[in-house]
Amino acid sequence: MGDMKQPRLNDGYDEPQQPHLNGGYDGPQQPHLNRGFDVPPQPHLNRGYDGPPPPPPHLNGGYYVPQQPHLNGGYYGPPIPPPPPKPKLRYKAPGCCCLSCMCSCFGSCLRCCGCCILNLVWNILIAAAVILGVTALILWLIFRPNAVKFYVADANLNRFSLDSSDNSNLLYDLDLNFTIRNPNQRLGIYYDVVQVSGYYGDQRFGSVEIAPFYQGHKNTTVVVTKMEGQNLVVLGEGAKADLKEDDLTGVYRINVRLVMSVRFEFWIIKSWKVKPKIRCDDLKIPLGSSSLTSGFKFQTMQCNFDFR
């Protein structure tokens, strides 16, 4: 049949040539349009684009990402938690003021005013305590007070025995001489009340009061006392045994207490009254009429302070 001339194939494409391939582009055919193109694909170049189609322009208000289900009304982050509940206002005792209570109820205002008054009184008490403490410290630094010293300088028993007809009735006659030394240079002492009591064991058998007196600066005062009479005492078994032993030796073990009410004087300033107790324990006092005490003399003894 001879060589029949075949019509021109469309670049090897066996179907009829499509008009306006490549979007009306008259130059050579560009293979794989939009493949390897370094710019984002244009929405109108969707001819021959091998990738997935771009998202519709109306999704998510023009923002080309899938709509998130948890978005909170246009807020594109996590949902905002609800605000915490407001704490309830409570009555605060310290630092309150009556002016802040005028707008509240009458009861709250009364409580607040009472708190203010208590707070004011407390502050006044603290200020007064601080002032007194500072004043006492200054006075102590100025005067430097020293302790007053008490001594039993001499003691003598003229009689000390139980009544023969009644073993509970004690007959006594006791002489005591005290020496009181005030070593302070700027401190005077007013002895308003001084009571001297004698004890045998734990039983008081007699007492005497001394007339009030004043003791000046750096002064030594001698106080002479005498206790005489009879008194009902109840001695225990131990005290009775001690008394029989003392009768044999002629020396009696007697305790003496001094109860006082005194005031101190700093120049023209006088202090409040204080009530110290002076203890003179285990005094060995000889019986003057006993021949068994020949050669025995009373030894001066210092007494102890007791502010209880």
Side-chain angles (χ1 to χ4, degrees):
M1 296 221 4
D3 295 331
M4 184 178 293
K5 191 175 183 179
Q6 299 294 329
R8 295 182 60 187
L9 294 175
N10 192 11
D11 295 331
Y13 185 74
D14 296 336
E15 294 181 1
Q17 184 163 357
Q18 301 297 327
H20 306 295
L21 282 176
N22 205 15
Y25 181 71
D26 294 335
Q29 178 77 24
Q30 301 294 330
H32 308 297
L33 283 178
N34 230 2
R35 288 184 181 177
F37 198 62
D38 296 332
V39 298
Q42 304 298 323
H44 62 280
L45 296 179
N46 201 16
R47 296 180 180 180
Y49 179 68
D50 297 333
H58 63 275
L59 290 178
N60 206 11
Y63 185 67
Y64 296 104
V65 295
Q67 179 76 26
Q68 303 297 328
H70 62 273
L71 292 179
N72 194 4
Y75 180 75
Y76 296 98
I80 301 175
K86 295 183 179 180
K88 296 181 180 180
L89 297 178
R90 295 181 178 179
Y91 175 71
K92 190 176 181 182
C96 63
C97 180
C98 294
L99 294 178
S100 61
C101 300
M102 290 184 177
C103 297
S104 62
C105 64
F106 182 71
S108 298
C109 188
L110 287 180
R111 288 194 301 268
C112 188
C113 291
C115 176
C116 291
I117 294 174
L118 291 177
N119 193 16
L120 178 61
V121 172
W122 180 251
N123 291 335
I124 292 174
L125 292 176
I126 293 177
V130 171
I131 292 173
L132 289 177
V134 173
T135 304
L137 178 61
I138 293 174
L139 292 176
W140 183 85
L141 293 175
I142 293 175
F143 299 107
R144 296 293 180 92
N146 297 314
V148 181
K149 298 179 180 180
F150 289 80
Y151 299 90
V152 180
D154 193 13
N156 188 40
L157 269 175
N158 301 316
R159 186 177 183 181
F160 196 82
S161 63
L162 291 174
D163 192 353
S164 58
S165 61
D166 187 358
N167 290 331
S168 298
N169 195 20
L170 181 64
L171 305 175
Y172 60 91
D173 186 356
L174 174 62
D175 296 329
L176 292 172
N177 296 336
F178 294 94
T179 300
I180 304 174
R181 173 63 180 170
N182 178 17
N184 298 285
Q185 186 175 1
R186 301 182 181 88
L187 180 66
I189 306 174
Y190 287 93
Y191 295 89
D192 297 327
V193 177
V194 179
Q195 184 183 50
V196 182
S197 301
Y199 288 80
Y200 191 84
D202 56 353
Q203 296 294 317
R204 187 176 72 170
F205 60 84
S207 63
V208 63
E209 290 190 1
I210 301 173
F213 64 96
Y214 171 79
Q215 186 177 30
H217 312 148
K218 299 185 75 68
N219 180 267
T220 300
T221 303
V222 177
V223 178
V224 178
T225 63
K226 185 177 183 65
M227 286 185 287
E228 183 180 9
Q230 60 182 1
N231 195 8
L232 182 65
V233 294
V234 180
L235 299 178
E237 295 298 328
K240 289 180 180 180
D242 291 340
L243 183 58
K244 290 180 180 180
E245 184 179 350
D246 293 344
D247 290 337
L248 295 176
T249 59
V251 178
Y252 295 85
R253 291 162 287 185
I254 296 177
N255 301 324
V256 176
R257 304 285 188 271
L258 285 81
V259 179
M260 301 181 177
S261 177
V262 300
R263 292 173 296 156
F264 300 100
E265 181 185 39
F266 306 94
W267 289 333
I268 60 174
I269 302 174
K270 294 181 182 179
S271 70
W272 56 90
K273 292 183 179 181
V274 295
K275 297 181 178 181
K277 295 180 180 180
I278 314 301
R279 301 170 61 93
C280 310
D281 293 334
D282 200 16
L283 301 178
K284 296 180 175 61
I285 305 175
L287 185 64
S289 60
S290 177
S291 60
L292 301 175
T293 60
S294 59
F296 183 85
K297 293 183 179 180
F298 177 80
Q299 301 294 325
T300 301
M301 293 190 64
Q302 183 176 358
C303 303
N304 299 320
F305 270 96
D306 187 1
F307 284 95
R308 291 178 296 176

